[in-house]
Amino acid sequence: MKRILITGGAGFIGSHLCERLLKEGNDVICLDNYFTGNKDNIRHLLDNHNFELVRHDIITPYYAEVDEIYNLACPASPPHYQYNPIKTMKTSVYGAMNTLGLAKRTGAKILQASTSEVYGDPEIHPQVESYWGNVNPIGIRSCYDEGKRASETLFMDYHRQNGVKIKIIRIFNTYGPRMNPNDGRVVSNFIVQALKNEDITIFGTGEQTRSFQYIDDLIEGMTRMMRSDNSFIGPVNLGNPNEFTMLELASKVLEITNSKSKLIFLPLPGDDPRQRQPDISLAKEKLDWSPKIELHEGLIKTIEYFDSII
Ligand code: NAD
Ligand code: UDP
């Protein structure tokens, strides 16, 4: 049994990770300030004696004796991270410093939930880990993109300077049950709109692409990364390489929900990346991992979830 701290544990990804690590018999501390997360996401775990819920903001230090840390605390959807961009940057930077400081003192292994956003609007396709990215440092997405890039820098420097045992994963667009229905990300938006027979909001022409990964595949990859040999620190891409345009995504959602919704076209937000697709050769080689759940199957499960809560 390990004592594991998950920051951002009441969020979409964090709640699935808490569930998985508890199932394996670990002692889990779920830390969250509930900015975008929700107690409902982890309510079913509260009776488990190995589960502890802590309301805390990771921009201030947190003290506990732990063996492993998953650092997930950070709003992830553009409307939420742009709501208070200065706070987003503080969460990424101070949050990384505080969790790395904890890892340094306790000797815990620490994993950073980084993102495909570190590649910005990529000029290399698909994106490999060795690509340094094409990120606007002064745009409306910068608080998130540059915050995550700075936290990768901090992870590498704590590793080089202090020998902290780090792991960096770069997560590509992930979806599934427990996404916040109001969080503004494309999969949740389209599903909620389709289920309510409201207009489907396509930003721009809808020809921009993303590669969507189902949550269960990500959790498998994350836990494999944490358990991998200490000499493999990443960064490693975790995503599903199957790439879709937003128009293709909309048509799949409409087909599965049998919805009467119509498409409407709205302006493309600033700095919206045109394409995104992970090269996952490194994850295959080092973690023996690849995603198993394709978009159609994952959408069916996610639509069932949203249908049950709307
Ligand atoms: P989410 O918004 O559902 O979860 C983030 C959690 O962090 C929430 O519970 C929120 O309340 C908490 N949080 C935010 N600021 C905090 C702070 N200052 N102190 C403590 N808790 C705080 O988003 P998610 O999709 O579950 O994302 C989790 C992590 O994975 C994030 O770091 C995100 O950047 C990263 N990520 C997610 C995706 C994706 O597609 N979902 C892609 C790339 C990276
Ligand atoms: N998008 C869209 N309609 C929406 C929400 C998003 O067309 O209602 C587009 C958005 O402009 C982007 C893509 O879908 O091109 C993915 O957006 P999301 O916010 O889910 O993730 P990210 O841009 O961070 O990859």
Side-chain angles (χ1 to χ4, degrees):
M1 181 196 257
K2 293 201 183 83
R3 293 159 304 172
I4 304 177
L5 171 66
I6 304 175
T7 75
F12 159 53
I13 297 174
S15 63
H16 288 273
L17 186 62
C18 288
E19 204 171 270
R20 165 73 180 258
L21 295 173
L22 282 170
K23 241 181 227 156
E24 290 174 356
N26 298 293
D27 206 67
V28 171
I29 304 175
C30 167
L31 178 155
D32 210 293
N33 71 349
Y34 306 117
F35 173 45
T36 52
N38 195 314
K39 275 192 195 157
D40 286 340
N41 287 341
I42 34 88
R43 201 174 292 287
H44 61 297
L45 306 175
L46 291 174
D47 287 340
N48 189 320
H49 295 303
N50 294 329
F51 186 67
E52 200 176 328
L53 188 56
V54 177
R55 180 189 289 266
H56 183 84
D57 193 312
I58 202 57
I59 70 168
T60 59
Y62 174 72
Y63 299 97
E65 300 310 311
V66 290
D67 304 304
E68 288 179 355
I69 304 167
Y70 289 83
N71 187 34
L72 272 59
C74 187
S77 86
H80 283 153
Y81 69 64
Q82 287 162 12
Y83 172 75
N84 184 346
I86 298 170
K87 177 68 191 261
T88 299
M89 182 64 99
K90 281 186 182 170
T91 296
S92 277
V93 174
Y94 295 157
M97 290 168 90
N98 289 328
T99 48
L100 283 160
L102 180 64
K104 182 180 158 192
R105 184 179 63 78
T106 56
K109 209 191 266 195
I110 179 166
L111 178 144
Q112 168 66 1
S114 189
T115 167
S116 52
E117 289 284 323
V118 300
Y119 302 122
D121 191 9
E123 291 150 320
I124 285 185
H125 200 69
Q127 291 80 57
V128 281
E129 289 86 350
S130 54
Y131 177 51
W132 291 354
N134 177 35
V135 175
N136 177 359
I138 55 170
I140 57 168
R141 292 175 86 102
S142 312
C143 60
Y144 183 73
D145 300 7
E146 297 289 16
K148 289 285 185 178
R149 286 167 68 95
S151 41
E152 286 199 13
T153 307
L154 282 163
F155 267 68
M156 291 305 299
D157 285 335
Y158 269 77
H159 175 68
R160 283 186 287 249
Q161 194 174 327
N162 299 120
V164 172
K165 292 179 271 202
I166 63 157
K167 302 273 178 185
I168 300 173
I169 58 169
R170 291 183 179 155
I171 305 171
F172 283 65
N173 297 63
T174 304
Y175 68 98
R178 299 199 205 118
M179 288 182 92
N180 183 334
N182 305 313
D183 94 358
R185 279 182 276 193
V186 69
V187 175
S188 43
N189 270 10
F190 285 5
I191 292 178
V192 172
Q193 290 160 349
L195 288 173
K196 293 183 170 169
N197 289 313
E198 290 172 355
D199 291 341
I200 304 276
T201 53
I202 307 272
F203 297 166
T205 61
E207 279 153 349
Q208 68 273 33
T209 69
R210 294 293 185 275
S211 305
F212 297 104
Q213 156 174 246
Y214 189 66
I215 182 68
D216 292 0
D217 285 327
L218 172 66
I219 298 296
E220 183 61 33
M222 279 176 109
T223 50
R224 281 188 190 214
M225 180 57 173
M226 183 61 106
R227 271 152 222 179
S228 65
D229 194 276
N230 283 352
S231 63
F232 180 54
I233 61 175
V236 63
N237 290 338
L238 293 180
N240 189 323
N242 283 341
E243 187 183 3
F244 296 90
T245 65
M246 296 312 103
L247 289 171
E248 286 168 333
L249 175 69
S251 96
K252 278 187 180 293
V253 170
L254 287 174
E255 182 200 315
I256 300 170
T257 52
N258 206 11
S259 167
K260 297 191 188 69
S261 296
K262 306 257 176 310
L263 304 188
I264 55 161
F265 291 83
L266 299 176
L268 191 67
D271 292 336
D272 200 280
R274 280 160 298 163
Q275 54 181 8
R276 200 181 279 153
Q277 184 191 31
D279 180 315
I280 58 164
S281 317
L282 189 64
K284 279 186 179 156
E285 181 203 325
K286 297 283 188 183
L287 309 175
D288 190 24
W289 174 89
S290 58
K292 302 280 177 278
I293 299 168
E294 290 312 338
L295 187 60
H296 189 79
E297 187 189 347
L299 281 179
I300 291 175
K301 293 175 196 244
T302 312
I303 288 166
E304 271 169 18
Y305 166 77
F306 279 107
D307 206 14
S308 72
I309 61 159
I310 285 173

